[in-house]
Amino acid sequence: GLAIRGALPALADRLYDIIALIAKGLLLLASLALLAGTWRTIWEAIGGGAVVAMIAFVAVGLIVGHVMGGPEPENSLVLALSTACRHPMIALSIASANFPDQRFGSSILLYIIINVLVGMVYVAWHRRHRIAVIAA
C-alpha cells in the first residue's frame, strides 16, 4: 500500500475505499471465525467475577485517560482509548511464562471483546457530551 501510494498516488486514492471495505470485511470474517472456534472456552472463562473485573479495569483506564487528556475533547478521547486498550499479547506472554501448562487465549479474547464493548459505550458518551457542549 505504501509503495503504491508513493509511486501512483492517484491510483491509490481510487483504490482506497474498496480496499478499506475489503479489509474491514476480512477483519470481521476472521473475528467471527476466531469466535466460532473459541466460544466454548470463552464461555467457561466467564464467571467468578472475571467479567466484572475486566469491565472495571477497562472503565478505570478510560476514566484515567479521559481525565489526563485535559480540556481538549480529542485529546481526552484518544488518551482514554489508548489507556484502556492494554496490549493483550503482553498479558498472554506474562501469563504463559508464569503458568506454562494453562491456556489463556480465551480469557484474552474475552478481555478484547469487553474492551471493545465498553469502549463503544465511552465513545458514544463522548460524542453526546461533545455535542451538548457545542450546543450550549
Side-chain angles (χ1 to χ4, degrees), residues 66-92:
H66 182 84
V67 170
M68 297 302 287
E72 285 295 319
E74 293 82 15
N75 291 348
S76 62
L77 176 67
V78 170
L79 191 56
L81 292 173
S82 298
T83 303
C85 294
R86 299 288 182 228
H87 199 287
M89 290 287 86
I90 293 173
L92 181 61

Side-chain angles (χ1 to χ4, degrees), residues 5-73:
R5 168 117 6 237
L8 304 165
L11 177 64
D13 288 339
R14 285 195 308 258
L15 294 177
Y16 177 81
D17 289 335
I18 194 162
I19 290 176
L21 183 64
I22 291 169
K24 289 174 186 175
L26 289 174
L27 179 61
L28 179 62
L29 287 175
S31 299
L32 291 174
L34 184 60
L35 283 173
T38 59
W39 71 271
R40 284 189 182 117
T41 53
I42 290 173
W43 188 254
E44 291 171 4
I46 296 173
V51 171
V52 173
M54 289 177 189
I55 290 170
F57 189 76
V58 172
V60 167
L62 288 169
I63 292 167
V64 168
H66 182 84
V67 170
M68 297 302 287
E72 285 295 319

